[in-house]
Amino acid sequence: MDFKLSKTHLLQQELFRRFAETEIKPIAEEMDESEVFDLELVKKLLKYGLMGIPYSRDYGGVGGDYLGYALCMEEISKVDASTGITISVHTSLACSCIDGFGTEEQKQKFLRPLVDGSKVGCFGLTEPNAGTDAAGQQTKAVLDGDHYIINGTKIFTTNSGFADTFVVFAMTDKSLGTKGISAFVIDRDMPGVKVGQQIKRMGIRAASNCEVSYENVKVPVANRLGKEGAGFKIAMKALDGGRIGIAAQSVGIAQGALNEAIKYVKERKQFGKRISSFQNTQFKVAELQTMIDAARLMTWRAAVTKDEGGNYGPEAAMAKLFASEMVNDVTRACVQLMGGYGYCREYPVERMMRDAKITEIYEGTSEAMKMVIAGSMKIS
Amino acid sequence: MKIVVCIKQVPDTNEVKLDPVTNTLIREGVPSIINHDDKSGIEAALQLKEKVGGTVTVVCMGPPQADVALREALAMGCDEAVLVSAREFGGSDTWATAVIIAAALNKIGYDLVITGRQAIDGDTAQVGPQIAENLQIPQVSYAEEIDVEGDSIIVKRQFEDRYHIIEVKTPCLLTALQELAAPRYMHARGVVEAYEKEIKVFGYEDLKDSLKLEDIGLKGSPTNVFKSFTKQAKGVGTLHADLSVDEAVKVIIDKMEERHII
C-alpha cells in the first residue's frame, strides 16, 4: 500500500494548482458577486484538457484517471467551488453516462466533442417534484416512429446556461417505476429546449444553474443511451462516480479555507501576540487539518478503487458523506478563527462557508449516502 | 525545422531564502522550476513549430532530478527530451557547461537553437552565447520577437535604448527574453503522455568522442568563485523636482557636505 502520488499525478496536480491560482483565483470573488460564470474561463478549461481528464485518448480525452480527476477537483475547488462543480457535472455526470452506456457510434458523435475540448455537457435528472426520489420522474418520452417526443421540466441543471449537450432522463413507461426511465442525449439547439433564468442560490453562486423545460422536443431514437428502461441505472452509476468529485470538491474547499485562515492567524495580533501563537489556535488548526486529511484519503481510496475496476459505490458514498460534513465544520471554524474579518465578503472564507453547504445536498444528500452505505452493508 | 531548446532547472527564487551566515542559497525544501527565460524559449519554439512545422527537442543538463523539468516541457508540447547528466559533468562553470551542451547539440542535430537569456540562480547570461561559439554558428541574444523567412530568422533584439532588427541564417542560436512569448500551461493530456515518453540520457560515454575530460567538470572550469554575497538593498532616494539650476546645484552640494564627501 502506497499513499504517495505517482510522478504523473504530481505533475497533473501542479498543472491544476497553477491554473487555479492564475486563471481562477483572481476572478472568483467577482464571479460570486455577479452570479455569472466567466465564459472565457470555460474556454480555458476546455483548452487545457480540464474537462476530459478520465476519458480515453481514443475519443480525444486526456487519458487520465479518476484519481487525476479528483486532484483536479480539489485544486480547482481550493480557489473556487463554482468552477469545481462546472467541471464535475460535465465530467462525471454528462460524459460518464455516454462513456459508460453509449454505443461506439454514440461515443464518437456525443462523447468526443465533450472530452476533446469542443463542447460542454450537463445532466438533467432532478425535477421540481423528484429529488432524492428520482423514480418520481414526470418528464415523459413517447415513442413516435424513429423519434421520441419529450415533455417535462428539470430543475437545478448545472451548466445549463451555456452547455451544448444535455443528458436527460424521462419516463418511457410510467407503470414500470424506476425500470421505466430512459436516458437521452439532447442538443441545446433542438426545438423545444428552453433554458430558464439562473436560480438564485446561497453558495456556488457563479455556477450556471437553471430550470430547463422540454416542450415537444423531437429526439431521434439513436440518441437514447442504453436500452429503454435503463435510465435509472445509468443515472445512479453516474452519480456513484460523481460523488468522488464532490468529495474532492469538499476537500478542496476545506483546504482552501484553512490555508486562508492560517495566513490570517499568522499575521493577526491580539493581546500583544500573533494569534497563531495561542495554543487554542494551534489545536484548532491541527484538528481541522486532520479532518481534511482523513477526507482526502477516503476520496483517493474511492478514486483508486474506481480506477482499478472495483466496487467503488459504497466507498464513494462514504467519502462524500464524510467530506461534505467535514467541509461544513471546517469552513465554519475558519470563519470563527478569522472573527469579524472572516464574516466579511472581502475575505474568501465567507464565500467558502456558503459554498460548502451544497456538498451535503447535491449528487445525493447525506441521507441518501447513508442509504447507499447501509444498503451495501446488508444489515436490514 | 528542427528546433532545440536548452533549459535549466532552477530553484524558484520566490521561495528561496539566504543563509544569513554563509550568504548562500538555502535550497532545501525549495521547489524547482524551469528557468523563466527558458520557458519563454520553449513557448517561442512551439509557436514557430505551429507556424512552419518541424519538431521541438528540449535539452537540459543537470542531475537526474531535472527529469521533471523535461517532463513539463513535453507536457507543454515538445516532441523529444534529452537529459545531459553525468558525474564527470558536475562542478562545470559556464564555459565547461557550454562545451558539454555543444557536444550534445552536435549529436542531436539542429537548425535553430534557443536558450534563455540567463538563469535566475546564476544570472551570468554566458552559457547561450558560449554554446554558439563552441558550435561556431551565428547568435542573436536578447530576442524579443522572432519570425521565419525561408531559411532565415528575423529577430527583434532588445538593446538598452533601441531595438535591432537582425536577419540571421540558420543554423543559428538565439537567447530568449521572457518578453519573447508568454508560456502556455501544460495540457492535461500532455502530462499523461509526458510520462509515457522516453527521455534520452546523454552521459559522458555518449559524448566522449567530442569531449576531453580536462575541458569539463571542475577541472575544465576556468572560473574561480572568490566570494558570493547578496546585494544590499539601497535606501529610498529623494526626489527634488522643479528646481532651477542654481537650486539643484545647492541641493547636491549641501547633501555632499552633509555626508562629508566634500
Side-chain angles (χ1 to χ4, degrees):
Chain A
M1 178 171 268
D2 187 354
F3 292 101
K4 281 190 189 137
L5 292 175
S6 68
K7 284 180 178 177
T8 176
H9 286 117
L10 282 170
L11 196 57
Q12 287 177 47
Q13 191 181 43
E14 179 73 29
L15 161 66
F16 305 141
R17 189 172 295 161
R18 271 189 228 164
F19 185 92
E21 286 287 326
T22 321
E23 302 293 339
I24 308 175
K25 195 175 183 181
I27 60 170
E29 184 188 342
E30 165 58 24
M31 290 205 300
D32 176 68
E33 289 285 333
S34 65
E35 301 183 51
V36 177
F37 201 83
D38 186 330
L39 293 180
E40 288 303 310
L41 176 57
V42 176
K43 284 186 199 159
K44 289 176 191 167
L45 294 170
L46 292 166
K47 180 176 173 186
Y48 289 103
L50 273 63
M51 301 285 262
I53 295 167
Y55 296 103
S56 168
R57 276 171 277 171
D58 294 344
Y59 302 107
V62 161
D65 52 20
Y66 253 70
L67 181 57
Y69 163 64
L71 295 173
C72 176
M73 283 298 293
E74 177 180 344
E75 293 305 323
I76 300 297
S77 302
K78 265 188 197 171
V79 302
D80 183 36
S82 289
T83 310
I85 193 59
T86 303
I87 295 172
S88 162
V89 166
H90 168 91
T91 307
S92 49
L93 297 186
C95 295
S96 77
C97 291
I98 307 169
D99 187 55
F101 296 91
T103 60
E104 180 57 28
E105 199 184 338
Q106 287 174 324
K107 287 187 198 180
Q108 290 294 353
K109 189 172 175 190
F110 303 124
L111 182 65
R112 177 175 285 282
L114 289 173
V115 301
D116 75 0
S118 315
K119 286 184 175 181
V120 178
C122 65
F123 178 88
L125 175 68
T126 301
E127 296 185 1
N129 296 313
T132 300
D133 181 15
Q137 300 275 309
Q138 286 171 355
T139 299
K140 279 187 197 144
V142 178
L143 188 62
D144 179 16
D146 57 356
H147 283 78
Y148 285 91
I149 305 296
I150 297 184
N151 277 288
T153 300
K154 298 289 176 181
I155 197 166
F156 303 136
T157 307
T158 303
N159 291 354
S160 53
F162 49 80
D164 309 280
T165 304
F166 295 54
V167 175
V168 178
F169 299 84
M171 278 288 181
T172 36
D173 188 344
K174 184 87 183 163
S175 67
L176 295 175
T178 53
K179 289 187 176 155
I181 301 172
S182 302
F184 301 91
V185 180
I186 294 182
D187 197 291
R188 182 187 197 91
D189 297 331
M190 286 179 176
V193 177
K194 293 196 173 126
V195 179
Q197 294 294 310
Q198 170 91 329
I199 298 167
K200 301 257 178 208
R201 284 151 296 133
M202 170 185 177
I204 55 160
R205 301 200 318 180
S208 163
N209 192 291
C210 312
E211 185 175 282
V212 184
S213 64
Y214 302 86
E215 293 170 19
N216 293 317
V217 181
K218 202 173 161 191
V219 181
V221 171
N223 285 31
R224 192 190 67 223
L225 294 173
K227 290 181 183 149
E228 216 176 68
F232 189 73
K233 194 174 106 190
I234 294 173
M236 292 304 118
K237 198 82 188 156
L239 287 166
D240 274 347
R243 283 162 196 152
I244 297 171
I246 303 307
Q249 181 190 37
S250 305
V251 171
I253 301 170
Q255 190 68 66
L258 184 57
N259 291 353
E260 291 292 335
I262 289 173
K263 204 162 69 186
Y264 179 86
V265 299
K266 281 175 157 177
E267 286 167 6
R268 174 75 168 170
K269 279 187 183 163
Q270 289 289 277
F271 306 105
K273 285 179 174 173
R274 290 189 199 288
I275 60 173
S276 57
S277 66
F278 296 122
Q279 197 174 50
N280 180 57
T281 308
Q282 294 171 6
F283 279 14
K284 195 68 199 169
V285 167
E287 279 170 23
L288 301 180
Q289 189 60 60
T290 304
M291 285 161 69
I292 296 170
D293 270 31
R296 182 181 287 120
L297 288 176
M298 291 179 82
T299 306
W300 288 3
R301 179 182 72 160
V304 170
T305 301
K306 178 163 169 47
D307 288 331
E308 289 174 350
N311 177 25
Y312 63 92
E315 290 181 3
M318 280 189 236
K320 199 240 176 206
L321 172 65
F322 183 79
S324 62
E325 299 199 341
M326 174 281 295
V327 68
N328 279 278
D329 292 341
V330 168
T331 51
R332 202 169 58 246
C334 289
V335 169
Q336 190 68 19
L337 277 170
M338 295 176 62
Y341 292 101
Y343 193 69
C344 290
R345 298 225 292 264
E346 191 186 339
Y347 287 87
V349 292
E350 175 271 342
R351 164 168 52 89
M352 290 163 166
M353 182 175 152
R354 282 189 283 108
D355 288 349
K357 183 59 205 171
I358 191 64
T359 62
E360 292 176 318
I361 300 170
Y362 59 19
E363 302 202 24
T365 58
S366 287
E367 293 72 23
M369 293 307 98
K370 290 174 194 172
M371 286 161 61
V372 172
I373 299 161
S376 76
M377 294 168 75
K378 303 190 191 333
I379 48 172
S380 64
Chain B
M1 180 180 290
K2 182 162 185 177
I3 309 169
V4 184
V5 186
C6 302
I7 65 168
K8 184 178 184 185
Q9 192 188 39
V10 293
D12 187 347
T13 43
N14 289 328
E15 309 276 335
V16 157
K17 291 190 179 74
L18 284 169
D19 184 320
V21 182
T22 60
N23 263 333
T24 51
L25 300 177
I26 305 172
R27 295 204 180 211
E28 252 170 57
V30 178
S32 293
I33 55 170
I34 297 176
N35 184 51
H36 299 309
D37 288 344
D38 308 355
K39 211 168 174 179
S40 296
I42 294 174
E43 177 62 35
L46 293 171
Q47 287 179 14
L48 269 188
K49 176 190 155 181
E50 282 156 12
K51 199 170 167 191
V52 300
T55 59
V56 178
T57 304
V58 62
V59 179
C60 181
M61 176 166 145
Q65 300 89 286
D67 176 86
V68 68
L70 291 167
R71 303 282 176 190
E72 184 179 342
L74 290 173
M76 287 172 74
C78 294
D79 301 286
E80 282 185 328
V82 179
L83 176 67
V84 181
S85 188
R87 203 164 283 280
E88 291 86 345
F89 303 158
S92 293
D93 68 355
T94 62
W95 172 257
T97 299
V99 168
I100 298 162
I101 294 177
L105 288 169
N106 274 330
K107 197 174 164 79
I108 295 164
Y110 53 85
D111 296 309
L112 171 64
V113 179
I114 301 179
T115 73
R117 167 191 48 177
Q118 67 191 56
I120 55 174
D121 57 348
D123 265 345
T124 69
Q126 292 170 356
V127 174
Q130 287 176 354
I131 293 171
E133 291 305 310
N134 274 292
L135 295 173
Q136 298 190 312
I137 56 171
Q139 57 170 295
V140 182
S141 51
Y142 301 92
E144 193 178 304
E145 279 176 31
I146 53 177
D147 206 355
V148 177
E149 269 181 29
D151 60 352
S152 292
I153 312 276
I154 313 292
V155 186
K156 183 177 172 188
R157 173 185 197 246
Q158 201 183 77
F159 207 63
E160 276 179 21
D161 58 347
R162 69 199 70 187
Y163 288 102
H164 295 156
I165 306 293
I166 296 171
E167 182 177 345
V168 56
K169 279 213 180 320
T170 56
C172 62
L173 179 144
L174 310 177
T175 79
L177 296 176
Q178 240 180 297
E179 294 93 313
L180 178 59
R184 65 192 67 187
Y185 293 99
M186 296 176 271
H187 191 285
R189 189 189 305 115
V191 180
V192 172
E193 288 174 350
Y195 276 96
E196 292 169 355
K197 286 183 180 167
E198 190 199 350
I199 289 186
K200 281 185 205 152
V201 181
F202 286 179
Y204 174 68
E205 286 298 315
D206 302 292
L207 302 176
K208 69 177 180 188
D209 292 344
S210 46
L211 286 179
K212 288 185 203 143
L213 267 178
E214 57 265 33
D215 289 339
I216 59 170
L218 210 51
K219 212 197 268 175
S221 297
T223 314
N224 279 316
V225 178
F226 170 63
K227 183 187 172 191
S228 57
F229 57 93
T230 322
K231 275 195 272 186
Q232 294 298 319
K234 289 179 185 166
V236 183
T238 15
L239 182 70
H240 299 273
D242 304 324
L243 300 180
S244 67
V245 174
D246 290 344
E247 287 166 339
V249 169
K250 188 170 180 331
V251 167
I252 295 167
I253 301 283
D254 287 352
K255 207 59 170 172
M256 288 202 286
E257 281 180 340
E258 185 190 310
R259 299 273 178 97
H260 306 291
I261 296 168
I262 52 173

